[in-house]
Structure formats: structure tokens, C-alpha cells
Amino acid sequence: MEKIGFIQGTFDMFHIGHLNLIRNAKNVCDYLIVGINTDELVEKYKQKTPVVPLKERMEIVSAIKYVDKVVVTKDRDKVKLHEKYKFNYLIMGDDWKNTEFYDKVEKELNELGVKIIYFPYTKSTSSTKLQKTIDILLKEKED
């Protein structure tokens, strides 16, 4: 049986943590689908607007050799996404592990035969840290 993996994320200000997650995901599956969250979805659950527009984020992720397919995701409902893309592995960063949201997701997907795989979160770099650094530099420039 073909191992189909699915990752969903914003992938804003693409960095090494994103690449590590995608590379590790491809190592456990034959076919990797990456869902890129719309700006509206990100605004809804993170209360912030991505810096890089959706089309550009999709183009960047599409260019990565480990990625077989890129799709737009407008929803965080993993059961709906599973129905649409038929993946048997959901791959996440371990920063989401043991959260209320993903505990529920794990239970729902396990019942459908989907395995959840968590990979280590790259603590040294994140889009949030990059944005904070940019904000500090812009503020210093203004002063």
C-alpha cells in the first residue's frame, strides 16, 4: 500500500524548520501532499496575516524536491482533509503534540486508520522569531 503523507501549514517566511519537517515527512511516505493555509484561515486561528502571499508560499513549497503535490487549505478539519486527499499519515511538528486541538485530531484520525507522526520542532528558527527580529530592526531604523 502506498504511504501518503499530509502536512498542513502556513509556511510563511520559509525557513530551515519548514524544510526539516518536509524532508523528514518525505522519509516516511511515498507521496507527500502539503496543504498551504489561506491567509483567511491563518488570520482566523493565529490572529495574524502572513507576510508572504499565498501564491508565493505555494510556489516556494512546490519547488521543494520532497513535495509531490501542493494544495490550498481553507480549513483545519483534518477529517475533511482526509476524505479529500486519502492520506494515511498526518505529519506535524511536535510543538502541536498534546494540545487540545491535536488530541482531538489524533483520536478522530486514528479511528480512520491514519497514523499521526510528530517530528521535532526546530527551536532555533521560526516565522514568529523572524517576524519579531524584523519588527525590532524596523523600529530601530525609525528611532
Side-chain angles (χ1 to χ4, degrees):
M1 176 161 90
E2 184 176 40
K3 296 177 182 175
I4 301 170
F6 186 85
I7 299 174
Q8 180 179 5
T10 304
F11 300 98
D12 196 21
M13 295 188 286
F14 197 88
H15 55 74
I16 193 66
H18 295 137
L19 183 60
N20 288 341
L21 180 64
I22 289 170
R23 181 188 306 119
N24 288 333
K26 185 61 177 185
N27 286 332
V28 298
C29 61
D30 304 311
Y31 189 83
L32 182 61
I33 303 168
V34 180
I36 310 289
N37 295 332
T38 63
D39 292 354
E40 295 77 20
L41 178 59
V42 176
E43 290 165 2
K44 184 178 175 183
Y45 83 96
K46 285 191 174 184
Q47 287 78 49
K48 63 181 182 179
T49 303
V51 174
V52 179
L54 175 63
K55 186 176 177 186
E56 291 178 21
R57 291 183 279 130
M58 291 182 69
E59 196 170 326
I60 290 164
V61 174
S62 294
I64 299 167
K65 67 181 179 179
Y66 310 110
V67 176
D68 296 297
K69 182 176 184 174
V70 171
V71 298
V72 173
T73 47
K74 299 177 182 180
D75 194 326
R76 293 178 73 203
D77 186 329
K78 305 301 190 230
V79 173
K80 281 186 193 174
L81 291 165
H82 174 262
E83 288 170 4
K84 187 169 185 177
Y85 299 111
K86 309 295 185 214
F87 53 86
N88 39 31
Y89 293 89
L90 176 68
I91 295 116
M92 300 295 309
D94 67 2
D95 53 323
W96 290 102
K97 193 172 187 170
N98 298 320
T99 63
E100 185 178 336
F101 181 81
Y102 272 93
D103 286 348
K104 180 178 181 277
V105 167
E106 276 191 56
K107 185 176 187 289
E108 293 171 341
L109 290 182
N110 284 335
E111 290 173 5
L112 297 171
V114 176
K115 183 175 181 182
I116 315 296
I117 299 174
Y118 293 97
F119 284 113
Y121 177 75
T122 305
K123 292 182 175 130
S124 61
T125 307
S126 73
S127 297
T128 301
K129 284 183 181 179
L130 291 173
Q131 186 61 54
K132 285 179 182 175
T133 301
I134 291 168
D135 291 345
I136 289 167
L137 292 172
L138 288 174
K139 186 169 175 26
E140 287 174 0
K141 191 174 180 180
E142 289 173 0
D143 293 341

